Amino acid sequence: MKRRDFSRAVAGFTAATALPAMRAADADEPGGITNVQGVKVGHFTDSRRPTGCTVLLFEKGATAGVDVRGSAPGTRETDLLNPINSVQQVQAIVLAGGSAFGLDAASGVVRYLDEHRLGYAVGDIVVPIVPAAILYDLQLGDPRIRPTAESGYKACQAATTEPVVEGNVGAGAGATIGKLFGPKQAMKSGLGSASVRVGNTGIVVGAIVAVNAVGDIVDPKTGKIVAGARQPDGSGFMDSMARIREGYGVRADAGANTTIGVVATNVALDKVQATKVAQMAHDGLARTIYPVHTPSDGDTIFAVATGAIAARANHGSIGALAAEAMAQAVLRAVMKARAIAGLPSYSEIQLRR
């Protein structure tokens, strides 16, 4: 499909609507997912371990879907997002470290939204709808330090439409990658965000992700590993998939990983369409994380649509763009990470070369 044809497909305008000439979609714009109107992002980072949480706020509500591909997920309120269920919009989504303990951060977000009377109206009562997902980072430092309800509340207070702060922050504070051969050969990862603006249609698709994968990170444009399990002497990468092909088995530390994220668009979608976009966004993980969706991962992606602009859109094309934005966000998560004791980062390795 030609670029102009693709842009027309994304926009989904009727034949009677004048559609001006469009340029190709611009990937990885500054700002990340907050380029999508109606999305605020806030982090709470606890540097003592480190760990933290990231909150996406939708003050005017947003339609949402979810797709869970990993076999060790930790989630909250995902059943509400099933298209057959009643609630149509969410007011926030929480991504957190701390394993199952980190789900407590969502309670603080509920409290914040309750104070601002944002939620699902049941008569005179307003009930905030806050889905959440967690990753396992308890192997770093004191496992008794993990995100709490107060962490979630503070992340809400910090939420802004400013460009997303990336790296060792929020849900990505304790994230690591390349763990197939144990922690001594792993690397530091973090949180990344990216967005795609579709020509001059006004349509924006963004992604945010905390990358805590057992696998390596591959740049899909070059096919080369950019971060992951390192050789024991630090001379290069082990290439986890090559070792698996040689017969090396996945370690049995189930639940010790997980990549969690959100994709968002400013067009209107229903829950069925949002769910499909969430499914397609996992392609962005599959293009960049090798292996991914393993028994040791709880990989989860939410998709939200704020409906901030009136343009009609083909949700299949939105899903394709969501996968592209997610792949960009994964790369940014590892490239923006900073080294901590015993865990080098992408930037540190680049300096050594």
Side-chain angles (χ1 to χ4, degrees):
M1 179 181 288
K2 294 180 180 179
R3 287 180 175 177
R4 179 170 294 184
D5 291 338
F6 181 74
S7 293
R8 290 179 183 273
V10 174
F13 286 93
T14 64
T17 303
L19 188 62
M22 302 175 185
R23 51 188 168 79
D26 295 328
D28 198 16
E29 285 197 332
I33 200 169
T34 51
N35 286 330
V36 177
Q37 302 100 309
V39 178
K40 288 185 174 181
V41 173
H43 303 301
F44 173 82
T45 306
D46 192 329
S47 60
R48 292 176 297 167
R49 194 159 66 75
T51 190
C53 63
T54 296
V55 174
L56 288 85
L57 291 182
F58 318 107
E59 293 175 341
K60 294 185 178 180
T63 304
V66 67
D67 190 62
V68 180
R69 295 286 173 93
S71 294
T75 58
R76 164 179 166 149
E77 300 279 38
T78 50
D79 280 354
L80 275 176
L81 305 184
N82 187 315
I84 69 171
N85 291 334
S86 299
V87 172
Q88 296 299 307
Q89 292 197 318
V90 303
Q91 285 70 53
I93 291 176
V94 179
L95 308 176
S99 190
F101 301 106
L103 289 172
D104 191 35
S107 296
V109 178
V110 169
R111 177 163 65 91
Y112 177 90
L113 293 169
D114 182 38
E115 291 175 358
H116 292 77
R117 289 194 57 80
L118 297 172
Y120 178 71
V122 184
D124 293 331
I125 301 170
V126 175
V127 181
I129 306 299
V130 184
I134 52 85
L135 55 78
Y136 187 99
D137 60 4
L138 299 178
Q139 76 279 10
L140 293 181
D142 185 348
R144 293 170 297 182
I145 298 172
R146 52 248 187 170
T148 63
E150 188 64 20
S151 305
Y153 189 90
K154 289 180 177 179
C156 290
Q157 291 179 315
T160 175
T161 58
E162 294 296 311
V164 177
V165 179
E166 301 169 283
N168 297 24
V169 295
T176 53
I177 52 172
K179 293 171 277 190
L180 190 66
F181 309 98
K184 291 184 178 180
Q185 289 163 258
M187 286 179 63
K188 185 70 182 74
S189 182
L191 179 138
S193 188
S195 67
V196 176
R197 187 177 299 276
V198 187
N200 57 8
T201 64
I203 296 172
V204 181
V205 181
I208 189 169
V209 63
V211 181
N212 190 55
V214 67
D216 301 329
I217 307 303
V218 174
D219 184 339
K221 292 183 179 179
T222 65
K224 294 181 178 180
I225 297 171
V226 297
R230 298 167 293 123
Q231 295 281 0
D233 63 2
S235 62
F237 297 113
M238 293 285 290
D239 192 338
S240 298
M241 284 305 302
R243 292 296 305 275
I244 290 172
R245 287 193 294 270
E246 293 168 358
Y248 191 91
V250 177
R251 291 169 60 86
D253 51 353
N257 308 287
T258 298
T259 296
I260 50 177
V262 181
V263 294
T265 181
N266 57 354
V267 301
L269 300 174
D270 61 30
K271 288 173 70 176
V272 173
Q273 293 169 332
T275 300
K276 187 60 184 177
V277 170
Q279 290 176 353
M280 294 180 70
H282 274 279
D283 290 351
L285 302 188
R287 292 170 193 166
T288 52
I289 303 173
Y290 287 46
V292 71
H293 305 141
T294 76
S296 299
D297 291 306
D299 302 325
T300 300
I301 295 179
F302 298 94
V304 298
T306 65
I309 66 172
R312 292 171 52 194
N314 178 310
H315 69 285
S317 296
I318 295 295
L321 292 168
E324 175 64 20
M326 182 57 72
Q328 295 276 353
V330 169
L331 292 177
R332 292 184 66 86
V334 298
M335 292 178 178
K336 294 292 184 178
R338 302 184 310 278
I340 61 175
L343 289 166
S345 66
Y346 168 87
S347 58
E348 184 180 51
I349 289 177
Q350 293 300 305
L351 287 173
R352 293 176 184 171
R353 292 180 175 177

